[in-house]
Every structure is written in C-alpha cells, then in structure tokens.
Amino acid sequence: MPSRPTAAQRRQAALREALDAQRAALDLPPYDGPDRPEAVLHACVDAVLEAYTRDASPVRAAARAAVRGTLDELGARAPGHSLEVRVPPFGAVQVIEGPRHTRGTPPGVVETDPRTWLELAAGLRDWDAAVAAHAVAASGERADLAAFLPLRGAE
C-alpha cells in the first residue's frame, strides 16, 4: 500500500498547482525551474506580482499560497511571539522574540495588503517607504521588519 503524502508534500503540491494556474492565467508556460520549495515559492511570488503589474487580479489560490509561504518564511527567520504580522485575508504569523502573546491584541501588530506584503518580501518595496506611505500599519516596539526583509536570498 502506498504511503500517504506528508503535510509538507501536500503544501508543496498545492503551491506548485497554484503557481502553474497563475502562470496559465498570464499566458505563460508551466513552471520548469528547480523543484526546491524556496524556488517554487519565489516563482509563485513573482507570478502573482506579475499579475498585479499587468493590472490583473491574481489567481486567488496563487496569492494565498504566496502570502502564506512568505509568512512562513518570515516566521522561520524571526521566530517568536511578540509581533503579529497580518496579511488579510490570507494569513497571519507571530514572529520576533519577546513577550509571548496569548489573548487579545498582541503587543505589536503589522498589517498590510497582499500586494504590498509580496512586494516587501520580494525586495521590490522598501519597508520604511511603505510605512511612511501608510501601505503598512505598524504598531508596537518590535514592529519594524526592515531587518528581516526582503526574504530573497534568505534560503
């Protein structure tokens, strides 16, 4: 009897499927790059950002996969529970060491839209400029993510 795919394998397959759906929506061929999780994630981020650049709505599954994947990547780079990074409607993650948040509003919150988040993660937008332009709402003493962004080159 064949073994069942692990959760990580299922997430990777869903990411790859979302990437190929986004590329198809952009009239691009399916992804044929490296099959490493980081490479597929970054290709998905690029495809979603390309949709935004073309003034098209990205494929929802691709945008969700790109946002969640980059939030997971941020969580791995900055583990902790003192800051909550929110990218509605797709996800949130608690990061950065400090006081643990258990109920109510955490001591620090960062919130932005999916496009801005992916631009920050990809290095296409500067953290300080995004905060100054009110594209990012950041509150709390640990709410500066400039040291952790962009996520490219972190793997």
Side-chain angles (χ1 to χ4, degrees):
M1 179 157 88
S3 63
R4 293 176 45 153
T6 66
Q9 289 170 329
R10 288 191 304 272
R11 280 192 308 273
Q12 182 68 7
L15 174 63
R16 181 62 188 266
E17 185 177 321
L19 166 58
D20 285 339
Q22 181 63 71
R23 290 183 60 85
L26 295 168
D27 294 324
L28 297 172
Y31 175 75
D32 64 354
D35 206 29
R36 293 184 336 271
E38 302 85 14
V40 176
L41 172 61
H42 291 195
C44 189
V45 169
D46 292 342
V48 170
L49 288 172
E50 178 64 22
Y52 284 125
T53 299
R54 294 183 186 187
D55 290 326
S57 294
V59 171
R60 185 171 175 83
R64 180 179 55 245
V67 167
R68 287 182 179 173
T70 52
L71 287 172
D72 288 347
E73 200 171 323
L74 176 65
R77 287 187 73 190
H81 298 282
S82 68
L83 178 70
E84 186 166 285
V85 180
R86 300 173 181 166
V87 185
F90 298 126
V93 66
Q94 291 188 4
V95 295
I96 303 179
E97 290 184 19
R100 185 175 178 91
H101 156 66
T102 56
R103 298 165 107 210
T105 303
V109 175
V110 167
E111 188 167 327
T112 190
D113 62 277
R115 181 177 186 165
T116 300
W117 171 249
L118 293 175
E119 289 172 346
L120 289 164
L124 301 176
R125 195 160 192 181
D126 177 72
W127 172 261
D128 293 327
V131 172
H134 303 288
V136 173
S139 65
E141 64 185 57
R142 292 176 177 83
D144 185 350
L145 294 177
F148 304 103
L149 297 170
L151 296 173
R152 297 280 167 98
E155 64 268 358

